[in-house]
Amino acid sequence: TTSTQWWQSAVVYQIYPRSFQDSNGDGIGDLPGITQRLDYVKQLGVDVIWLNPIYRSPGVDNGYDISDYYDIDPKFGTMADFDALLTAAHAKGLKLMMDIVVNHSSDQNAWFKESASSRDNPYADYYIWRDPVDGHAPTNWGALFGGSAWEYVASRQQYYLHSFAVEQPDLNWESPRLRQAVYDMMNFWVDRGVDGFRLDVINSISKPTVFVDGPVADGEPYASIGAIEANGPRLHEFLQEMYAQVFAGRALMTVGETPGASVADAQQLAGRNSHELNMVFQFEHVSLDGNPDPRFGKWNDQPVQLVTLKHSLSKWQTGLHDQAWNSLYWNNHDQPRIVSRFGDDRPAYRTRSAKMLATLLHFMQGTPFIYQGEELGMTNAHFTRLDDYRDLESLNAYHHYVEVEGATDSATMLAYLAHTSRDNARTPMQWQDAPHAGFTTGTPWLAVNPNYPRINAQRAQTTPGSVYHYYQRLVALRHRLPLIRTGRYHLLMPDDQSVYAYTRRDGHQTLLVICNFTAETQSRHFEQRPPAAPLLISNYDDDQGDVLRAYEAKVYLF
Ligand code: TEU
Ligand code: CA
């Protein structure tokens, strides 16, 4: 029915609560701060807000280590603050999507404390426990935040599995009682009024049937658990059970975070008739600029190749058309800022390239996600010292590669962190040219980017032609033009190293999207374009036909 498709013409705004707006001067963003800023979000024109986790958490992984799924963390406020935010959002016509983390919990969760206490308590099988093998860890799997994926607990004389930090024990989805406890918890939030869920690393919940050692990259001590546990044997069974227990009959928006998922996986995970999820976050387009040395994975400081980027995005556009549904994102709280990564954040080019990247993405098929500050063209932090960073993934990586492995030197690793660290996305939202950019009256938990006097919401809202106003126009066009939702995607000039161009067609009209990914002027002729075809939107004030200026983006409708 059409009501369940509302999310196909919606635009989502992702708020990282810790860094959005502090209301009590403790330097940490909070729920009352978000409530104060809802008019700003509404004016962008978006339909949904996605909040990163706000549940009670020790904050080892900034809330992705949940100690109480039924309570709001005091750093962010109270349940009353949450209810006030939800009520205010709904009153402004904004839906609210929660981030649910059920691949793992915090080791401070009551479930885990009980589970670890003995082998025969009601929570004993809520987590993944294995006996030692020859006196050591059950397998050679390594955790994504460093070290072994296994941690020994004397009270059970067993190891537990943790895909991420030691403080993030994986939940055992083989246990029907654990699964029911998850569904009950999700229904608690749906009954409270939330409008959807972003499901954290949800394609890792089904572990391999048999636990055996995995392949180890040269020079690395462990086998990376990511590929070992992605898209496991019972994943679709579990998601269909979740659908039946939580999603069925409700017009929720559900998006699964699925690192390692292929187009084929997504055709099932986000399939129109799969009864699993509405859409997924896939990671191919944000994994193309990784390090050629496999030891370093994502840690790199090199640009992406345009041809590989256009082939990856095109594969997903054509692969899911009429079968499933894409999410569309450049940024989130785990990715560096796109204008610094795939664009050009030099002052002469920053706003032009930010608008070019936004144009490329927002005319594709899928639901766009705008990450806080992306609409301002906020840039990477360009930190130069290790103690500028807070993210355990970055700090652990520096420690591992420089101090433990000696795989590289400090200067190189600091360059990798500056280009790739998740903290690039987590510097506080830049509201105005005031101390700490108006984010806090206290000391921010993570430094504000020093470019805030130039790059801030107040300036953007009062500057015609700003990135902010451009995003407003893109969001409005998506609500106005069904062709953006329904058109069939076709890539033009597939091997062009400088220009990315594609069409969207529905048999009546055509969108022609042209983006110059370089600072150099290019010249390209498009015979598809009728001479009198109107320009729908452009990041320049005029149209010079075949001449494409630095980072020029333009869209024709005919
Ligand atoms: O991220 C899952 C994930 O794939 C991470 O490895 C992420 O891609 C990586 O940090 C980028 O290299 C989710 C959350 O988005 C992330 O913030 C959490 O740290 C992680 O799960 C554990 O909950
Ligand atoms: Ca606060």
Side-chain angles (χ1 to χ4, degrees):
T1 61
T2 52
S3 69
T4 58
Q5 311 304 317
W6 65 270
W7 38 268
Q8 290 189 326
S9 44
V11 179
V12 184
Y13 189 77
Q14 180 190 355
I15 290 176
Y16 193 66
R18 181 178 290 263
S19 303
F20 194 63
Q21 178 65 63
D22 174 23
S23 70
N24 62 352
D26 66 358
I28 300 172
D30 47 53
L31 300 189
I34 298 172
T35 303
Q36 288 167 14
R37 294 290 185 181
L38 283 179
D39 285 333
Y40 170 81
V41 176
K42 182 65 180 175
Q43 283 156 15
L44 196 54
V46 300
D47 308 277
V48 185
I49 296 171
W50 155 27
L51 296 185
N52 290 96
I54 52 176
Y55 317 93
R56 191 175 285 272
S57 163
V60 169
D61 186 18
N62 285 7
Y64 282 93
D65 48 319
I66 295 172
S67 55
D68 185 345
Y69 287 97
Y70 288 88
D71 199 8
I72 301 300
D73 191 89
K75 287 190 290 299
F76 296 127
T78 64
M79 189 60 97
D81 292 326
F82 171 78
D83 290 340
L85 169 56
L86 185 61
T87 301
H90 285 169
K92 295 176 192 299
L94 291 165
K95 292 179 182 287
L96 193 142
M97 180 164 72
M98 298 282 265
D99 201 324
I100 205 84
V101 188
V102 289
N103 174 69
H104 49 273
S105 77
S106 163
D107 62 349
Q108 301 306 306
N109 194 298
W111 293 353
F112 183 76
K113 288 181 175 177
E114 179 94 24
S115 184
S117 67
S118 72
R119 296 194 185 198
D120 55 2
N121 59 72
Y123 299 89
D125 73 341
Y126 270 36
Y127 295 85
I128 299 170
W129 297 98
R130 288 293 186 282
D131 293 336
V133 170
D134 302 332
H136 55 68
T139 65
N140 68 352
W141 302 350
L144 288 161
F145 292 159
S148 166
W150 296 99
E151 182 73 6
Y152 187 74
V153 172
S155 48
R156 282 188 61 144
Q157 295 185 330
Q158 286 182 305
Y159 287 83
Y160 68 85
L161 181 69
H162 61 89
S163 301
F164 293 90
V166 171
E167 300 89 343
Q168 294 174 289
D170 282 50
L171 291 165
N172 173 27
W173 278 73
E174 300 299 325
S175 158
R177 288 179 60 252
L178 177 275
R179 300 205 301 273
Q180 191 58 56
V182 168
Y183 307 143
D184 292 347
M185 178 269 294
M186 294 174 76
N187 278 316
F188 167 84
W189 288 105
V190 176
D191 293 344
R192 202 154 194 107
V194 305
D195 303 291
F197 295 106
R198 178 266 190 188
L199 296 109
D200 189 59
V201 276
I202 197 65
N203 65 325
S204 294
I205 59 176
S206 170
K207 305 312 187 203
T209 311
V210 182
F211 286 10
V212 293
D213 284 355
V216 181
D218 288 350
E220 281 300 285
Y222 302 106
S224 175
I225 194 169
I228 289 170
E229 65 183 11
N231 312 310
R234 300 182 69 186
L235 175 61
H236 299 296
E237 174 197 341
F238 293 158
L239 286 175
Q240 287 165 23
E241 186 181 61
M242 181 186 287
Y243 181 92
Q245 295 267 348
V246 184
F247 307 148
R250 290 165 160 159
L252 299 173
M253 175 186 271
T254 57
V255 51
E257 189 212 23
T258 56
S262 65
V263 168
D265 295 318
Q267 285 168 344
Q268 173 72 22
L269 290 163
R272 288 163 65 161
N273 307 311
S274 301
H275 291 172
E276 294 184 22
L277 303 169
N278 297 154
M279 63 193 100
V280 296
F281 288 134
Q282 57 91 11
F283 284 71
E284 274 187 20
H285 64 305
V286 291
S287 305
L288 300 171
D289 51 353
N291 204 303
D293 180 337
R295 284 179 302 166
F296 289 102
K298 73 176 201 178
W299 302 107
N300 197 7
D301 59 2
Q302 295 306 308
V304 70
Q305 297 305 313
L306 179 62
V307 171
T308 47
L309 177 65
K310 69 167 73 169
H311 289 175
S312 174
L313 289 170
S314 301
K315 184 176 66 171
W316 282 86
Q317 285 290 299
T318 52
L320 299 193
H321 186 78
D322 272 351
Q323 295 185 64
W325 193 251
N326 278 289
S327 68
L328 303 171
Y329 73 95
W330 287 132
N331 294 285
N332 61 41
H333 61 293
D334 292 331
Q335 301 296 328
R337 293 264 178 192
I338 200 67
V339 72
S340 303
R341 183 183 190 178
F342 290 174
D344 188 335
D345 67 6
R346 290 176 293 176
Y349 298 112
R350 180 182 59 83
T351 57
R352 202 84 77 183
S353 80
K355 293 176 192 173
M356 181 275 290
L357 289 164
T359 307
L360 181 75
L361 195 71
H362 280 258
F363 284 95
M364 288 188 175
Q365 181 256 35
T367 296
F369 287 72
I370 300 169
Y371 178 66
Q372 67 180 49
E374 174 184 338
E375 76 279 10
L376 306 179
M378 277 177 64
T379 70
N380 276 355
H382 299 296
F383 288 148
T384 56
R385 300 171 315 149
L386 187 63
D387 61 16
D388 291 333
Y389 292 94
R390 296 290 177 275
D391 178 20
L392 84 161
E393 182 191 48
S394 300
L395 297 171
N396 290 0
Y398 181 95
H399 175 67
H400 174 74
Y401 291 115
V402 176
E403 293 160 356
V404 174
E405 292 283 292
T408 189
D409 58 64
S410 175
T412 303
M413 195 63 205
L414 284 172
Y416 289 172
L417 291 184
H419 189 81
T420 314
S421 170
R422 303 192 301 180
D423 278 335
N424 281 305
R426 301 174 179 187
T427 61
M429 181 71 177
Q430 295 166 200
W431 293 107
Q432 67 221 57
D433 182 3
H436 305 305
F439 163 70
T440 180
T441 56
T443 303
W445 71 278
L446 176 66
V448 176
N449 193 314
N451 63 21
Y452 73 83
R454 276 185 301 109
I455 305 174
N456 63 72
Q458 186 176 57
R459 181 184 175 120
Q461 286 187 299
T462 54
T463 305
S466 64
V467 178
Y468 172 85
H469 288 305
Y470 198 85
Y471 266 82
Q472 276 185 316
R473 293 172 60 199
L474 292 174
V475 173
L477 281 168
R478 178 166 291 269
H479 290 149
R480 181 162 65 81
L481 267 183
L483 174 56
I484 299 175
R485 179 163 45 82
T486 62
R488 180 176 291 278
Y489 172 100
H490 179 70
L491 177 66
L492 307 178
M493 316 183 309
D495 300 324
D496 193 304
Q497 302 277 354
S498 305
V499 176
Y500 191 145
Y502 65 86
T503 56
R504 300 285 307 283
R505 288 199 165 96
D506 65 358
H508 308 291
Q509 289 185 301
T510 298
L511 280 166
L512 169 58
V513 180
I514 304 164
C515 294
N516 179 359
F517 258 71
T518 72
E520 288 72 43
T521 299
Q522 309 283 341
S523 176
R524 299 289 189 280
H525 183 69
F526 295 89
E527 73 278 356
Q528 295 88 345
R529 176 173 73 88
L535 200 55
L536 190 64
I537 190 169
S538 167
N539 63 356
Y540 277 83
D541 297 331
D542 62 343
D543 183 358
Q544 294 191 0
D546 291 353
V547 172
L548 302 174
R549 290 155 288 188
Y551 300 110
E552 182 157 2
K554 53 186 176 179
V555 183
Y556 295 100
L557 174 64
F558 48 90

